[in-house]
Amino acid sequence: MWLWRLLLLAAFALSFGFGLRGRPLPLLFPHFDLLLHFAAFYTLGVLAILALRVRSWLKIVRILLLLFFFAALIEWLQALWLPQRTPSLIDLVAGVLGALAACLTVVLWCRLSR
């Protein structure tokens, strides 16, 4: 269990670091940044559920809320401190959808593996 928690902490640190990076990552194709947001928050969602051993819907909702606020915090800090970065509601939505997809994936995986 400590490994999942360590990976979760590392994923939060990487997401925070890349989110507040001075320059945005280069776009490999249109909307590549949205894919990155989705993937980052999908990873955070899966790791949070595994690290915290979530067994109830209430805890899943709490994780989703935590990840929503984390995504909003990154966008807000970009608006405050990084004039070369553009905060975006679409980025926030992509992150939240990634977290939601992660939660649904883990729930379905647990149901199907019984």
Side-chain angles (χ1 to χ4, degrees):
M1 182 164 83
W2 63 270
L3 178 61
W4 293 120
R5 290 183 178 176
L6 183 63
L7 288 172
L8 177 61
L9 183 62
F12 265 112
L14 282 171
S15 297
F16 196 72
F18 280 113
L20 296 181
R21 188 171 180 228
R23 295 177 294 131
L25 293 172
L27 295 179
L28 300 179
F29 52 84
H31 307 297
F32 180 65
D33 60 327
L34 297 178
L35 178 63
L36 291 176
H37 281 271
F38 184 91
F41 282 86
Y42 183 91
T43 302
L44 287 169
V46 168
L47 289 174
I49 290 172
L50 293 173
L52 302 174
R53 294 185 176 206
V54 172
R55 301 280 189 256
S56 72
W57 284 103
L58 182 59
K59 288 185 180 179
I60 289 175
V61 170
R62 286 181 185 164
I63 286 172
L64 286 171
L65 286 173
L66 171 75
L67 292 175
F68 167 78
F69 286 119
F70 183 63
L73 174 68
I74 289 173
E75 297 301 319
W76 181 65
L77 291 174
Q78 284 179 359
L80 282 179
W81 292 333
L82 301 170
Q84 65 274 29
R85 299 283 304 265
T86 306
S88 168
L89 182 61
I90 295 173
D91 289 347
L92 176 67
V93 170
V96 170
L97 288 176
L100 183 60
C103 292
L104 291 174
T105 300
V106 172
V107 167
L108 287 174
W109 179 264
C110 289
R111 299 243 181 205
L112 293 175
S113 64
R114 286 184 186 176

